[in-house]
Amino acid sequence: MKQKAVVVKQLAEGQLLVRGERLEACGHNCQECSGCPSTVTLTPVLDTTGAKPGDRVLIELPGTTVLPRLAFVLFFPMVLGLVGYSLGHYLFTQRTTLLTILFVIFGFLCVWIREHYYAAPLVVRVVRKL
């Protein structure tokens, strides 16, 4: 995912604070959706290009780091829910729904623990100066 941004200030050696607009789900047809509030975000990024405050830059969050995490977050609770349903169906015919819900909740808890304590932070970096 790439986006244009403006460097606001230099935080440390090799780190910048950039300002960019978050344009989510924009169809670029403002008359139909009555316009959308663009959200300005300030993001710390890694810099290897030597950009200075005021420069326009292209920043990137590599998809290779986002997609595996997204797949884990979306599918792990669902897979555990299917396991819970299968176990409930074969072991406890009266409590299938309860066991399914407990397994899904356990899946969400595992995802939350992994993302908050064990996953490396996502690194946004400057690709080039514009």
Side-chain angles (χ1 to χ4, degrees), residues 2-83:
K2 294 182 181 180
Q3 182 178 355
K4 295 177 184 175
V6 177
V7 178
V8 176
K9 69 178 181 177
Q10 187 168 4
L11 297 175
E13 186 64 33
Q15 242 188 352
L16 301 172
L17 186 66
V18 298
R19 180 183 67 229
E21 286 190 40
R22 183 184 313 171
L23 300 174
E24 296 179 16
C26 181
H28 300 291
N29 191 356
C30 296
Q31 288 80 18
E32 289 204 14
C33 68
S34 69
C36 56
S38 64
T39 307
V40 176
T41 60
L42 294 174
T43 307
V45 298
L46 292 178
D47 177 40
T48 57
T49 62
K52 296 180 178 32
D55 289 347
R56 292 179 48 86
V57 294
L58 185 66
I59 59 174
E60 177 185 41
L61 178 62
T64 57
T65 59
V66 175
L67 293 178
R69 288 174 78 163
L70 181 64
F72 179 75
V73 167
L74 293 176
F75 294 120
F76 187 71
M78 184 175 66
V79 168
L80 278 184
L82 291 173
V83 168

Side-chain angles (χ1 to χ4, degrees), residues 89-103:
H89 181 71
Y90 291 113
L91 298 177
F92 312 106
T93 56
Q94 300 295 325
R95 305 276 188 232
T96 303
T97 305
L98 179 63
L99 198 59
T100 303
I101 291 170
L102 289 176
F103 269 68

